[in-house]
Amino acid sequence: AQSVTQPDIHITVSEGASLELRCNYSYGATPYLFWYVQSPGQGLQLLLKYFSGDTLVQGIKGFEAEFKRSQSSFNLRKPSVHWSDAAEYFCAVVPRNTNAGKSTFGDGTTLTVKP
Amino acid sequence: KAGVTQTPRYLIKTRGQQVTLSCSPISGHRSVSWYQQTPGQGLQFLFEYFSETQRNKGNFPGRFSGRQFSNSRSEMNVSTLELGDSALYLCASSLLYEQYFGPGTRLTVT
């Protein structure tokens, strides 16, 4: 069955430390891949997306993600975390040649930033 | 360009009542999706509308319904509210694949 897995429910990092959030998917063909961020009580904001081409994609707020076909992964990274990055992060996929209504979201990873 | 707007932002209703939530998508976006978000169940897809037609549907009871107007604005309705319907309801608009979310409507059922 098609699925998206974010193995880490909760991650705590110190401010200034690097961050990596994991996302794995299980689909027949590589889907379109997305990362979203949600601050408490707010909607989700698109951080970055991967459709094809360069496997390292840059997003907003200093985030980047790397697509690895062999591992069916799309991990989100940031070299130096700021206190304002504390939020919940969602990985999402859309099967190729479908539409946004076919989106599947992971369960989310909550990021806590220690001062 | 203005973002996705949702009204109202907060709502308190009593069990058995019905409620209508509204969503105005980004100009030019014809797809509107609705999600229910709760601490226990996470983000759950309700339905998606495209050009006034329901194109995709999640696994929710018939008490949850929606519609889309010719200007792409969308409404969702929940009838016979239950305590378990308390949640953040998110609307997202899309051109193709990525979604742009509104701030949500926080519904509390007492």
Side-chain angles (χ1 to χ4, degrees), chain A residues 6 13 22 29-30 36 83 85 89 102 104 108 110:
Chain A
Q6 292 180 245
V13 301
R22 297 182 291 163
T30 301
Y36 293 85
W83 63 266
D85 293 324
Y89 292 80
K102 297 291 190 185
T104 299
T110 299

Side-chain angles (χ1 to χ4, degrees), chain A residues 5-105:
Chain A
T5 303
Q6 292 180 245
D8 304 304
I9 297 172
H10 197 169
I11 281 185
T12 299
V13 301
S14 297
E15 190 168 15
S18 64
L19 170 70
E20 182 169 33
L21 302 182
R22 297 182 291 163
C23 173
N24 295 97
Y25 61 89
S26 175
Y27 277 75
T30 301
Y32 301 129
L33 300 159
F34 306 86
W35 275 100
Y36 293 85
V37 61
Q38 184 181 31
S39 297
Q42 300 298 314
L44 281 69
Q45 181 183 20
L46 179 66
L47 280 176
L48 44 77
K49 60 192 177 188
Y50 175 77
F51 288 171
S52 64
D54 193 345
T55 57
L56 186 63
V57 294
Q58 302 297 319
I60 62 172
K61 304 186 181 197
F63 284 92
E64 65 180 25
E66 185 173 15
F67 166 63
K68 291 186 177 179
R69 184 187 306 276
S70 62
Q71 298 177 19
S72 297
S73 68
F74 187 56
N75 294 348
L76 182 71
R77 301 195 297 239
K78 187 168 186 179
S80 178
V81 168
H82 187 262
W83 63 266
S84 61
D85 293 324
E88 189 161 19
Y89 292 80
F90 293 91
C91 179
V93 305
V94 176
R96 287 185 176 270
N97 303 312
T98 60
N99 55 70
K102 297 291 190 185
S103 299
T104 299
F105 286 80

